[in-house]
Amino acid sequence: MKTIASHRTITASADGTGLLSHAGSLLLLKTLHLTGLDRALSAQLERWRPERAVHDPGKIVADLAVSLALGGDCLADIALLRAQPDLFGPVASDPTVSRLIDRLARDEVKALKALRAARAAARQRAWDLAGTAAPGSDGELIPIDIDATIVIAHSDKQHAAPTWKHTFGFQCAMRRSGVSPA
């Protein structure tokens, strides 16, 4: 198995040299590495890697997650990452990404189980790293307050409707709640 971890050191600064768009993605990449999610995805998705594949399925899925966090809404938006190889390393082509998604979709139950196992391992690592400084480690509930988000749709498929912001899509809202850290 090949590692997907970057060996380059990238530093965020305000000096105007080596500019990166979406520099906040550096935090996502560091979190992927620190929690081991990058390695867990690689290990869990190895079975979906074709024999002579160049790109690791775990890195492709991680890249898709980062592109989603940066505002992407389709597989082709991974091109945003491809445009900055110094930060993201080699990023799979659109056809390679589509083929992986097709392979994962053909074995949906096992693929979801593998993704959930990778996430669970990374989540446990994050809580272990935080130790007694982790929110909720004292047994108290963790308050979460997430505002409404509008997901734009361009047709009325799957019950999309006009939203309060005069757009068309889905309005997802979450209320403040207490959750346990486990």
Side-chain angles (χ1 to χ4, degrees):
M1 172 175 36
K2 292 182 183 177
T3 181
I4 63 174
S6 172
H7 296 291
R8 294 180 306 280
T9 300
I10 298 174
T11 306
S13 70
D15 65 4
T17 61
L19 293 176
L20 299 169
S21 63
H22 299 291
S25 59
L26 181 59
L27 178 60
L28 294 174
L29 296 175
K30 295 286 186 185
T31 302
L32 276 168
H33 182 66
L34 189 65
T35 60
L37 183 56
D38 54 356
R39 295 177 301 279
L41 284 170
S42 292
Q44 290 293 330
L45 298 178
E46 183 65 24
R47 75 170 61 177
W48 286 279
R49 184 180 188 140
E51 190 173 313
R52 296 180 309 194
V54 172
H55 294 281
D56 174 8
K59 178 156 185 333
I60 294 172
V61 168
D63 286 346
L64 283 171
V66 170
S67 71
L68 178 67
L70 295 176
D73 61 4
C74 67
L75 296 180
D77 288 338
I78 201 169
L80 178 70
L81 278 61
R82 199 176 304 114
Q84 295 187 325
D86 288 343
L87 180 59
F88 299 106
V91 176
S93 67
D94 292 351
T96 300
V97 173
S98 293
R99 285 191 299 268
L100 172 64
I101 297 302
D102 286 343
R103 283 193 306 276
L104 294 173
R106 278 190 297 247
D107 200 1
E108 181 181 342
V109 173
K110 287 182 181 175
L112 287 173
K113 185 176 179 181
L115 291 169
R116 288 176 180 140
R119 280 194 349 242
R123 186 181 310 111
Q124 185 60 52
R125 170 93 171 124
W127 285 110
D128 291 345
L129 287 170
T132 59
S137 63
D138 55 2
E140 294 294 318
L141 293 178
I142 303 169
I144 298 177
D145 191 4
I146 302 175
D147 293 329
T149 300
I150 294 177
V151 178
I152 302 296
H154 300 287
S155 72
D156 62 356
K157 61 185 171 186
Q158 297 181 355
H159 313 293
T163 67
W164 63 276
K165 285 239 179 187
H166 308 290
T167 59
F168 193 77
F170 307 93
Q171 182 174 320
C172 308
M174 296 186 73
R175 293 189 182 96
R176 185 176 187 103
S177 63
V179 296
S180 71

